[in-house]
Amino acid sequence: MTSGAPPTLGILGGGQLAQMLALAALPLGVRAVVLEPDPQSPARLCAEHLQAPYTDPAGLARLAACTAVTLEFENVPVEALDALESRVPVRPGGALLARSKHRAREKEALRAAGAQTAPFLPIEREADLTGALTAVGGQGLLKTSELGYDGKGQRRVNSEAELRDAWVALGRVSCVLEGLVPFEREVSLAVARSAEGEVAFGPLVENTHRQGILRTSVFPAAAPEGTEARARDVARAVAEAWELAGLLTLEFFQLPGGALLVNEVAPRVHNSGHLTQDGGGLSQFEAQVRAVLGLPLRDWAPLHPTAMVNIIGTADGQQPDWAGIDALPGSRLHLYHKAPRPGRKLGHVNLVAPDLETLRARLDQLEVLVP
Ligand code: AMP
């Protein structure tokens, strides 16, 4: 790092992603400051915690005094970023956030950038429901345009009657109806871009979900040859069209044959990239810190086969087999210091192995140890 006052990274949001960004920043000589209303913010343990609403003027003034500001959470008000942008570099900025936090706008902007998506129709009012399911292929998912995550705010629909019921159940809010995609696998890839336009990529990772929540990520993905290059092309096109500064993760559906549809994007590090913490290469967290602060960028990927299993709160409070996890060769535990609740992400286990066969065998063992 250069001489002078140590750089500081302002982060909007103080969850586990902010916690891991702050931890990745420290060895680079960078301290993090988080603006987060939750007094139990996981990031408070390793960063300066401004406990205030995201639009709090004093909190925003403290962030404006940082070297640069980023976010770890899409549901911060765009106004908070707008209020900062004339005072400090904000990466990504409010215009990109406004796109990526609204499913219909996001899909339109993805298509405008040349990416393919599932067939979709915005649903704003009751009249939009008529004929919509047929238009997207007869089977679909109705998703709220905003505030949905981890499979929340969405319903599978197979008939127009189900579609109408789902829209009422979701509160008659702005939604997107997507056609059901017969994907072969789900993969993701992140792109980092500096304010000067320098681009670097993360690894192609394969993801499996359980009840709409990410359960497992594996590197390398078992996708057909050429998939990673295609994912990079899409990621670069979106990053350039959207003038990304910072890091953007793209989730894809890979169709039989290899074509990629973008499911959704997040303008930040992502749960599917956590395995980069322990694979020996640069981590996604360091990549975001570097991109945001204008430090040199390079591609990042594990140097060995690596997997991640999420630790998610269970309905009956069942605990993982901690001793078993600890005894598994190549495992590393990451806990977020959050109070357990059913469906809540409480931590993850990364697993590194010398070859893919060993990784698969140990992953099978790990799956049994984490309920
Ligand atoms: P999302 O909240 O959009 O990431 O959706 C959560 C999960 O639901 C995805 O990771 C997929 O497994 C599944 N899913 C979402 N949208 C579709 C779709 N259009 N077709 C098939 N599966 C989907």
Side-chain angles (χ1 to χ4, degrees):
M1 292 296 308
T2 51
S3 58
T8 47
L9 177 67
I11 306 175
L12 284 152
Q16 65 266 20
L17 299 181
Q19 184 186 71
M20 292 184 275
L21 283 167
L23 287 172
L26 280 173
L28 297 173
V30 177
R31 291 186 195 193
V33 179
V34 304
L35 180 58
E36 166 60 59
D38 180 359
Q40 295 306 317
S41 154
R44 79 188 189 286
L45 300 166
C46 52
E48 179 183 330
H49 180 201
L50 313 169
Q51 194 205 323
Y54 300 122
T55 50
D56 177 66
L60 290 173
R62 174 71 187 93
L63 288 190
C66 290
T67 312
V69 173
T70 190
L71 55 84
E72 64 111 41
F73 177 58
E74 282 93 305
N75 294 324
V76 296
V78 173
E79 303 84 73
L81 273 70
D82 291 345
L84 287 168
E85 276 182 275
S86 57
R87 298 147 83 188
V88 59
V90 182
R91 297 168 180 157
L96 197 148
L97 177 66
R99 257 183 216 135
S100 61
K101 73 189 293 191
H102 187 280
R103 283 191 196 268
R105 279 203 292 270
E106 175 179 286
K107 285 187 196 301
E108 276 151 16
L110 284 167
R111 289 201 174 176
Q116 290 182 281
T117 71
F120 75 96
L121 280 174
I123 305 289
E124 299 295 336
R125 55 192 71 78
E126 196 161 354
D128 295 339
L129 297 169
T130 307
L133 191 59
T134 311
V136 301
Q139 286 185 305
L141 279 107
L142 185 69
K143 303 182 181 178
T144 57
S145 288
E146 293 190 270
L147 301 176
Y149 67 98
D150 286 348
K152 295 191 179 73
Q154 51 182 273
R155 295 275 195 289
R156 228 351 248 281
V157 289
N158 296 309
S159 67
E160 190 158 317
E162 280 180 19
L163 173 60
R164 287 180 188 278
D165 290 347
W167 193 59
V168 172
L170 291 175
R172 299 174 188 266
V173 293
S174 168
C175 283
V176 173
L177 177 66
E178 284 181 30
L180 194 70
V181 174
F183 59 80
E184 197 166 74
R185 60 173 56 75
E186 294 185 80
V187 294
S188 56
L189 179 131
V191 55
R193 186 167 178 269
S194 70
E196 287 72 42
E198 189 191 354
V199 167
F201 299 100
L204 187 76
V205 169
E206 182 164 349
N207 303 312
T208 49
H209 293 78
R210 203 160 73 178
Q211 287 153 8
I213 308 180
L214 182 68
R215 165 72 177 174
T216 312
S217 296
V218 176
F219 167 84
E225 209 180 312
T227 307
E228 178 158 21
R230 279 197 299 282
R232 284 186 173 204
D233 288 346
V234 176
R236 181 191 291 278
V238 173
E240 287 176 353
W242 293 13
E243 297 177 351
L244 170 72
L247 189 142
L248 183 83
T249 305
L250 297 90
E251 291 179 50
F252 298 95
F253 297 131
Q254 182 237 300
L255 303 182
L260 290 173
L261 307 183
V262 182
N263 174 27
E264 60 180 356
V265 304
R268 52 164 172 78
V269 287
H270 187 265
N271 196 167
S272 62
H274 290 1
L275 53 72
T276 58
Q277 288 173 309
D278 291 311
L282 205 67
S283 78
Q284 63 166 351
F285 301 99
E286 185 169 344
Q288 180 164 335
V289 172
R290 284 172 175 253
V292 170
L293 288 174
L295 301 173
L297 275 179
R298 56 186 150 91
D299 293 346
W300 67 100
L303 304 175
H304 308 282
T306 311
M308 183 230 52
V309 173
N310 265 335
I311 299 173
I312 297 165
T314 55
D316 60 3
Q318 197 191 343
Q319 293 279 315
D321 178 344
W322 302 114
I325 293 170
D326 206 45
L328 199 60
S331 73
R332 293 208 59 213
L333 181 63
H334 297 261
L335 293 177
Y336 309 149
H337 298 251
K338 285 160 75 174
R341 257 193 255 135
R344 195 175 204 205
K345 290 176 180 169
L346 304 174
H348 64 275
V349 184
N350 285 338
L351 193 58
V352 188
D355 55 72
L356 201 50
E357 199 180 316
T358 312
L359 184 76
R360 293 265 171 216
R362 289 185 190 159
L363 185 54
D364 287 345
Q365 291 175 264
L366 182 58
E367 291 268 18
V368 178
L369 301 170
V370 181

